[in-house]
Amino acid sequence: MQGIEVKAHKERPAFDVAKIGMCFLIMVIHIMPVNTIPDGLKLLAPVTRVAVPVFFMISGYLFFSKLKLRSTETSKRDYLKKMIFRNTKLYLFWSLILLPVTYSYRHYGQFTNLKKVFIVGWHVLFGSTFIASWYLSALVIGLIIIFFLSRHFTAKQILLVVLPAYIWCVLTSNYSKLGWLSFFAHSWLRQSAFSWAPYNSFLVALLWLAIGKAFVDHETLLFKGTKKQLIMILGFMGLLYIEQLIIIYFNSYSTNDCYFTLVPLCAAIFSLLLNVVVHFKRTKILRTFATITYCAHASLSQLIIYLYSLTTLTFGEASLIFLIITVICAVTTLLVTRLERYPHLAWLKYSH
């Protein structure tokens, strides 16, 4: 007998509102790189890196909170399969829609057919095909790993098991030019068609998904009340900037994807999201906009750059591209949510 959901899953509008904010931060990373931003705004760079962890924690929390409502092992595995199929269809939808841009951007045409198959497969599992698609594959692989770890370990034990993976991601990101890491992490991992950036793969997802799962059993974890929570977040943000100054001093970074201090900062932010009350009824359209924008924004940016033969973007050009893509994704969201109601256009639901 299939497991029965003993209570309705609680809607969390705060998650959907947060997703919009996090989505815009990710757009800043991809559309407005640091070299286009005036010096006074470059201080925003570390803050943008809270976006991906918060996305992962929301996904981990929602998955494992719904999983907890299922009473049998069979129903839990069925829900895992449902998650895999749902995200696979999302991945395939955008892979097809964005194929021309991806094919050109990834230079797939320069490889033989056999090597092309291997490289695309590698990119699916350990990187990105269409730009930023690594999140979707990392989410699926990460949830599968945490799902099976949870069969044998407690939430705290899982955190300890996956912590070294995150440490490795930090070392190969913000500390990759230090000592022996300079060769292994900064050069060797990235010097082939099968190059690998651990901080853009399922390795980085494991800790954030495990933290999301830990909050399923302890929703008030780290929460000290709204005012104290905001003070705590500001304090952790201060530590983030201290780490940033240290990194700049030692010139140790190749990318700024992962910081050690993101762990307490993002966990504190997520704790606030879990315990703050937000009233918003049309949460579905927010979720749809966030998903469509995340999947499409970076490829659209590259397409605009190509069509207008832009090379080095100015801050004004990057800002205009940001605005154009936001409008395109907003209009697309409105069209999709209306057109998918028609039976012959129901396939549009796979876009989100």
Side-chain angles (χ1 to χ4, degrees), residues 225-269:
T226 303
K227 291 183 179 179
K228 289 183 179 179
Q229 195 72 13
L230 291 173
I231 294 173
M232 181 190 299
I233 290 171
L234 289 175
F236 286 139
M237 197 170 293
L239 292 178
L240 174 66
Y241 279 99
I242 290 174
E243 183 177 7
Q244 174 78 347
L245 290 174
I246 293 172
I247 290 165
I248 291 173
Y249 178 79
F250 287 104
N251 190 31
S252 63
Y253 62 96
S254 58
T255 69
N256 71 332
D257 289 69
C258 298
Y259 296 81
F260 289 116
T261 46
L262 277 180
V263 177
L265 173 59
C266 293
I269 291 173

Side-chain angles (χ1 to χ4, degrees), residues 290-327:
T291 302
I292 289 175
T293 303
Y294 179 86
C295 291
H297 76 277
S299 295
L300 285 175
S301 174
Q302 290 300 315
L303 181 60
I304 292 171
I305 289 171
Y306 171 78
L307 291 175
Y308 288 93
S309 301
L310 300 174
T311 52
T312 302
L313 295 179
T314 65
F315 179 67
E317 289 169 339
S319 300
L320 181 59
I321 291 173
F322 186 101
L323 179 61
I324 290 171
I325 291 174
T326 301
V327 172

Side-chain angles (χ1 to χ4, degrees), residues 135-156:
Y135 175 86
L136 297 176
S137 55
L139 176 63
V140 171
I141 296 171
L143 284 175
I144 292 172
I145 292 173
I146 301 299
F147 175 87
F148 285 105
L149 284 176
S150 67
R151 304 296 92 190
H152 306 286
F153 301 101
T154 65
K156 289 182 179 179

